Amino acid sequence: MADAASTLPDRFTLDLISPEARLISRPVWQVVCPGVEGEFGVRAGHMPLLSALKNGVVVVQDAPHAPAEIIFVAGGFADVTPAQLTLLAEEAVPVSSLQIEALNTAVDALHAQINVAENDIAAAPLRKALGVIQAKQASLALVKTA
């Protein structure tokens, strides 16, 4: 009898969708996602799973040993089936398109706005935006060290 893993297809469909656009819709070999309970990898034949995503990077490989495509996501959800992974992200952007100078400027501006906010209610969305930008900064640092 053949090993169960050897009978599985080696690719599955990845759909990465943000409110602005469908960033990816193609067959891939492997995806690593930033789940709120920890990172998790997905390959063809994965058991069904639903997970919330935290701010972080999605690493997509089209084939073994292929260069990875790295995409920053700001929250969202992952829906995994044996043949498909659907990522619904609040925001998604290729890490290669992020610019550290622009992120640093945005961090400074948000700190200034938080400091003059009238109360915690007014500061809350600013703090959330700051967390997203800081996660983008961290994703750039991660890519440079990889």
Side-chain angles (χ1 to χ4, degrees), residues 24-47:
I24 297 176
S25 183
R26 69 173 189 263
V28 297
W29 174 70
Q30 175 176 275
V31 179
V32 178
C33 301
V36 294
E37 299 290 328
E39 288 186 347
F40 61 94
V42 177
R43 288 193 184 166
H46 196 287
M47 63 184 276

Side-chain angles (χ1 to χ4, degrees), residues 6-29:
S6 67
T7 62
L8 294 173
D10 67 342
R11 295 168 67 82
F12 62 98
T13 301
L14 169 63
D15 285 311
L16 174 54
I17 304 163
S18 73
E20 292 80 29
R22 179 181 300 255
L23 273 71
I24 297 176
S25 183
R26 69 173 189 263
V28 297
W29 174 70

Side-chain angles (χ1 to χ4, degrees), residues 43-90:
R43 288 193 184 166
H46 196 287
M47 63 184 276
L49 170 73
L50 184 62
S51 175
L53 299 174
K54 67 178 182 179
N55 297 342
V57 294
V58 172
V59 180
V60 180
Q61 283 186 280
D62 290 330
H65 311 293
E69 181 176 358
I70 302 173
I71 300 161
F72 173 81
V73 294
F77 292 93
D79 181 14
V80 181
T81 68
Q84 183 165 352
L85 168 59
T86 302
L87 299 174
L88 302 174
E90 293 175 26

